[in-house]
C-alpha cells in the first residue's frame, strides 16, 4: 500500500480490519505507533524499543473501540522518539510530509497521525497528547484535534510517557468525524450543550506572533458572537505563564524518567540527538526541583478550575505561528518548543480537555485555536466542532 507522505512506519500499513456496521462504519483510521495493535510490535519511535518488546497480543482498548464501532484500521504512524518532542522529525523513520505545508513540520509527537489525516490517508487518527502532541500537529496541519479530560479514555495498551498528563487524543479533518469518533471513545450519545461564554487568555495570546494574533482575532470574535463574551483573563493571576511551563517540564521529566529508566539501563538504546539531550535532562532532575513543582501543582489546578467554572471556554492559540521549517536551526527550534510548551501546559497540568480548531491561516498556512473547558466538557467542545464544521468561506478567518 502506498505511503506518499511518509506517514506510516516501515511495514506499518495494514490490511483494513473493520465491521460492516456501527457508528464509525465507512470511516478509516490510523494509530500512532505506541498503541497496541494485535499481532504487531509498537516501535514507539525507537528501533531498540521495537526489538525489546514482543508483538501485542490484543488491541489497546481505544483501538478496539474504534474497530468495534465499524472503523477500518489502515496503519501505524510515525512519531517522535518515545513521544518526547514536538518537532515531528524522527531520526530513525524520518519526518512525515505536512500536506498543508510541504517543507514544514507536521508537528510532534503525533506527526505521522496528523500527516495521514491531513493527506486523506485516513479519516481520523488516534494520537496521544501529554504536552501538546495532538493540539500542535492539529494546528500545523489544519485539523480538528481533541485532548480529552485526563483519564477519560483508557491508556491501557499505550506506551506511557508521563502518566500524570498522558491522554489518548483524536485528529480529524472534519468536525463531524471528530465528534463521531469522540462519542465512541468517550461513551457519549448525541449533541452536547452549547458553551456559556468564550474567555480570551490574554497572556497566552500575547505569546503568538503578531501575524498569528491578527489572523486569529476574527475567529475569536466569531466564537464570542456565537456563544457569548466571557471577557479576558490571564491564566496565572500574575500572568507569568512561563512559571507554569517549568512546573510542567519538571514533572513531565520525572514521570518520563520513571517510565523509561529501567529500560534505558537494560537496553542501552541509541537515541537521536534530541532525545539524547532530553534523557540527559530528565536524568539530572533534582528531588528538590520535583518537590517544588509538586507543591505548585494544586494551586495551578485550582486556578484553572475557577477559570473554567460554569462551562466557560478559554480561548488561546495552539501554537505561536504556522508550522516551522523542518530544516530550521536548533536555536530557533528550541525557542519555538519553549513557546509551544508554554501555550499547551495549562490544560495538561490541570487535566482539562482542550479542542483544537482549524481556525485560520497565516502566511497561507494553517493556524489552530484552542478552547479549554472544565473536566468532562467534551460534549460541549465536540458541539463547537460540529457547529463550525464547513464554515470556512474566508481563508483568513475559517469561522466567518
Amino acid at each position: 500500500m502506498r505511503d506518499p507522505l511518509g506517514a506510516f512506519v516501515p511495514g506499518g500499513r495494514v490490511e483494513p480490519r473493520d465491521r460492516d456496521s456501527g457508528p464509525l462504519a465507512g470511516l478509516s483510521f490510523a494509530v500512532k505507533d505506541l498503541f497496541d495493535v494485535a499481532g504487531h510490535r509498537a516501535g514507539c519511535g525507537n528501533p531498540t524499543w521495537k526489538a525489546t518488546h514482543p508483538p501485542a497480543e490484543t488491541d489497546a482498548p481505544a483501538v478496539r473501540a474504534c474497530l468495534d464501532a465499524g472503523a477500518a484500521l489502515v496503519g501505524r504512524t510515525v512519531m517522535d522518539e518515545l513521544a518526547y518532542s514536538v518537532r515531528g522529525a524522527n531520526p530513525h523513520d524520518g519526518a512525515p510530509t505536512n500536506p498543508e505545508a510541504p517543507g514544514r513540520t507536521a508537528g510532534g509527537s503525533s506527526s505521522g497521525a496528523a500527516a495521514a489525516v491531513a493527506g486523506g490517508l485516513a479519516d481520523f487518527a488516534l494520537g496521544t497528547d501529554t504536552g501538546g502532541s495532538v493540539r500542535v500537529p492539529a494546528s500545523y496541519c489544519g485539523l480538528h484535534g481533541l485532548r480529552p479530560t485526563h483519564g477519560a479514555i483508557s491508556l491501557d495498551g499505550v506506551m506511557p510517557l508521563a502518566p500524570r498528563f498522558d491522554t489518548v487524543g483524536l485528529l480529524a479533518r472534519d468536525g463531524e468525524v471528530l465528534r463521531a469518533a469522540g462519542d465512541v471513545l468517550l461513551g457519549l450519545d448525541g449533541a452536547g450543550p452549547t458553551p456559556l461564554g468564550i474567555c480570551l487568555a490574554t497572556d497566552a495570546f500575547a505569546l503568538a506572533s503578531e501575524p498569528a494574533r491578527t489572523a486569529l482575532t476574527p475567529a475569536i470574535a466569531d466564537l464570542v458572537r456565537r456563544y457569548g463574551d466571557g471577557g479576558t483573563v490571564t491564566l496565572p493571576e500574575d500572568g507569568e505563564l512561563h512559571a507554569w511551563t517549568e512546573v510542567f517540564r519538571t514533572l513531565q521529566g520525572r514521570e518520563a524518567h520513571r517510565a523509561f529508566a529501567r529500560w534505558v539501563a537494560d537496553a542501552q538504546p541509541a537515541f537521536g540527538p534530541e532525545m539524547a539531550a532530553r534523557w540527559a535532562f530528565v536524568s539530572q532532575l533534582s528531588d528538590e526541583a520535583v518537590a517544588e513543582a509538586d507543591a505548585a501543582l494544586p494551586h495551578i489546578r485550582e486556578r484553572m478550575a475557577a477559570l473554567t467554572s460554569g462551562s466557560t471556554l478559554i480561548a488561546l492559540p495552539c501554537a505561536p505561528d504556522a508550522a516551522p521549517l523542518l530544516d530550521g536551526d536548533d536555536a530557533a527550534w528550541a525557542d519555538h518548543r519553549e513557546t509551544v510548551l508554554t501555550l499547551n501546559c495549562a490544560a495538561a497540568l490541570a487535566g482539562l480537555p482542550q479542542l483544537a480548531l482549524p481556525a485560520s491561516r497565516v502566511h497561507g498556512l494553517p493556524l489552530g485555536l484552542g478552547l479549554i473547558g472544565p473536566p468532562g466538557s467534551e460534549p460541549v467542545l465536540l458541539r463547537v466542532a460540529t457547529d463550525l464544521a464547513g464554515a470556512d468561506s474566508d481563508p483568513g478567518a475559517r469561522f466567518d
Side-chain angles (χ1 to χ4, degrees), residues 165-216:
F165 309 117
D166 294 344
T167 61
V168 172
L170 279 169
L171 291 157
R173 292 188 305 280
D174 179 82
E176 293 284 358
V177 172
L178 186 80
R179 190 179 83 176
D183 284 352
V184 165
L185 289 167
L186 292 158
L188 305 178
D189 183 18
T194 58
L196 299 179
I198 303 295
C199 180
L200 178 64
T202 56
D203 48 351
F205 194 64
L207 294 174
S209 70
E210 183 176 354
R213 294 196 302 270
T214 300
L216 288 174

Side-chain angles (χ1 to χ4, degrees), residues 214-234:
T214 300
L216 288 174
T217 295
I220 295 167
D222 185 71
L223 287 168
V224 169
R225 285 193 298 270
R226 288 173 182 266
Y227 302 120
D229 189 352
T232 61
V233 296
T234 61

Side-chain angles (χ1 to χ4, degrees), residues 32-124:
K32 187 175 182 176
D33 193 33
L34 47 58
F35 286 85
D36 281 354
V37 175
H40 296 269
R41 293 176 187 262
C44 299
N46 182 276
T48 306
W49 182 280
K50 186 172 184 178
T52 55
H53 289 79
E57 295 184 1
T58 59
D59 297 316
V63 175
R64 173 48 50 193
C66 294
L67 291 168
D68 287 347
L73 176 62
V74 296
R76 298 172 291 117
T77 56
V78 173
M79 55 180 279
D80 288 10
E81 276 194 284
L82 304 185
Y84 205 177
S85 178
V86 296
R87 191 157 186 169
N90 185 289
H92 312 288
D93 297 324
T97 297
N98 182 341
E100 291 288 320
R104 294 174 180 267
T105 180
S109 61
S110 305
S111 55
V117 173
L121 303 178
D123 294 308
F124 69 94

